[in-house]
Amino acid sequence: IQLFQMWLQYNLIPERLSALLSDATIVKCGVAISGDAERLSLLYGLRVRGLVDLESIATARGFGIAPSLSELTKHFYGSDHPI
């Protein structure tokens, strides 16, 4: 993550990372991930595809206010689990 932040700081997005983020056949998931994708699009012109927003799934499963990815991990694994 820190390396990715460094690339963003200097407006350098590696070609392979750009290809991965734009590949709809590679699933990227997270809580409120659409906001992250929108930010990458606005700031760097990246088109992020293949997103699964866990926030809507969690809400539909009765979690109420959408939990963080860490909270979902704790719920399903019983503790912090390296993702």
Side-chain angles (χ1 to χ4, degrees):
I1 292 174
Q2 290 177 346
L3 184 58
F4 181 68
Q5 290 172 341
M6 183 184 74
W7 287 328
L8 294 181
Q9 179 181 353
Y10 295 105
N11 292 325
L12 300 172
I13 304 295
E15 188 176 319
R16 287 180 144 180
L17 178 59
S18 179
L20 179 135
L21 291 171
S22 65
D23 187 339
T25 66
I26 300 173
V27 176
K28 282 73 77 185
C29 64
V31 174
I33 195 169
S34 59
D36 298 328
E38 184 176 335
R39 198 167 332 130
L40 288 170
S41 176
L42 290 172
L43 295 174
Y44 304 100
L46 291 176
R47 183 172 182 214
V48 183
R49 297 171 38 198
L51 302 177
V52 174
D53 193 343
L54 299 176
E55 180 178 33
S56 58
I57 295 171
T59 302
R61 303 280 177 163
F63 277 91
I65 296 174
S68 67
L69 186 56
S70 175
E71 290 168 338
L72 284 175
T73 302
K74 285 178 186 177
H75 176 78
F76 288 106
Y77 287 103
S79 65
D80 285 329
H81 189 277
I83 299 177

